[in-house]
Amino acid sequence: MVDLESLFKLSYGMYIISSRKTDKFNGCIVNTAFQFTPEPPMLAVSVYRKCLTHEYITDSKVFTISILAQDTPMPFIGTFGFKSGRDINKFDEVNYKLGQTGVPIILDNTAAFIEAEVMQHIDVETHTLFIAKIIACEILDADSEPMTYAYYRDIKRGKTPKSAATYIKVEPKQKVTKGAKIMAKYKCLVCGYIYDQAAGDPENDIDPGTAFEDLPDDWVCPECGADKSEFEKVEED
Ligand code: FE
């Protein structure tokens, strides 16, 4: 038997991996970064090949990892996990400093950072495993707990983009039945998800026909986990 849900029992963290290409910066969320030798300290990280950060790491051979704090707000995760550096400059929205290699080190919501230089890479289907030597690492906030991937999924009710190294497709429990009545739609400003009142959000126990105002206060965007305040009504033509 292959029950893919058992893979959710593996433990991971939540990180932003940042890199540069000449003077341009980009970063994205990864959950698969791990140290694998003590001396010299080396780590590996798996990055989706179509992601802009992948292109930057391939070009500059250097990157930083921000170990996200447990209380990192969802819109911050949304910016790095669900938006593309091809559309926005993600670094316009955060505080950072430059590391020894000229790669930005994010200072917001970061418990500790690691700066690393790529020694080799392994192409694995959709992803590349970058093997890197640690050249600097420092704790930025000694009091903050790092966010685990389980905490992100279970407590923050965060979602996983299809490009993530550990994405697993789990079929929805119910089929969406579209209501006949045309009703308002609301757009998530973090990831672009549209809440269609006619369709509801049956996967999260929201019946078709539920008005946006009637969604429970703890309802979050099923794609990126942003809360209701991040939504805006879509004006019909
Ligand atoms: Fe969203």
Side-chain angles (χ1 to χ4, degrees):
M1 160 175 201
V2 178
D3 177 4
L4 292 176
E5 285 205 49
S6 54
L7 297 178
F8 285 131
K9 301 294 182 193
L10 282 169
S11 298
Y12 301 98
M14 285 289 287
Y15 317 107
I16 294 174
I17 182 166
S18 304
S19 189
R20 67 172 164 83
K21 188 174 184 179
T22 59
D23 59 346
K24 286 180 298 185
F25 302 145
N26 197 48
C28 65
I29 301 272
V30 294
N31 59 4
T32 45
F34 55 97
Q35 183 188 354
F36 65 89
T37 55
E39 196 52 56
M42 304 266 289
L43 63 83
V45 60
S46 175
V47 183
Y48 185 51
R49 290 170 75 161
K50 287 183 185 158
C51 158
L52 188 63
T53 310
H54 183 281
E55 183 185 317
Y56 285 18
I57 298 170
T58 304
D59 185 81
S60 65
K61 306 272 193 291
V62 283
F63 62 83
T64 61
I65 287 175
S66 297
I67 302 171
L68 292 179
Q70 196 173 72
D71 57 3
T72 300
M74 291 304 277
F76 185 87
I77 295 175
T79 297
F80 282 91
F82 291 89
K83 289 183 182 175
S84 171
R86 293 183 178 94
D87 305 325
I88 57 157
N89 180 359
K90 299 178 185 180
F91 285 85
D92 282 347
E93 297 173 31
V94 296
N95 292 303
Y96 64 89
K97 64 177 182 180
L98 293 185
Q100 296 170 33
T101 61
V103 175
I105 293 163
I106 293 172
L107 302 174
D108 302 329
N109 305 307
T110 297
F113 77 86
I114 300 165
E115 185 171 13
E117 187 182 343
V118 175
M119 296 286 106
Q120 52 177 297
H121 69 274
I122 301 167
D123 295 331
V124 195
E125 306 284 338
T126 52
H127 288 67
T128 298
L129 192 63
F130 291 104
I131 309 274
K133 180 175 76 178
I134 295 171
I135 55 178
C137 47
E138 208 178 308
I139 289 175
L140 294 184
D141 182 357
D143 296 329
S144 71
E145 288 287 320
M147 185 186 285
T148 64
Y149 187 57
Y151 185 89
Y152 168 71
R153 283 189 61 91
D154 301 340
I155 311 294
K156 305 281 270 188
R157 294 176 60 198
K159 300 294 173 175
T160 310
K162 292 181 177 65
S163 57
T166 60
Y167 175 77
I168 295 169
K169 191 167 188 295
V170 178
E171 296 299 331
K173 291 180 187 76
Q174 276 175 267
K175 272 223 157 140
V176 176
T177 322
K178 280 227 168 191
K181 232 167 93 187
I182 297 166
M183 295 175 83
K185 294 179 175 137
Y186 289 78
K187 183 180 183 177
C188 172
L189 300 177
V190 174
C191 74
Y193 166 85
I194 303 281
Y195 176 73
D196 179 350
Q197 296 189 144
D201 178 17
E203 245 189 280
N204 295 300
D205 302 321
I206 304 297
D207 292 333
T210 303
F212 185 79
E213 301 75 51
D214 296 335
L215 289 170
D217 288 341
D218 62 353
W219 181 84
V220 294
C221 171
E223 290 293 328
C224 75
D227 63 32
K228 284 175 74 180
S229 66
E230 301 293 332
F231 278 74
E232 194 174 71
K233 193 169 182 201
V234 178
E235 297 306 329
E236 301 289 335
D237 297 330

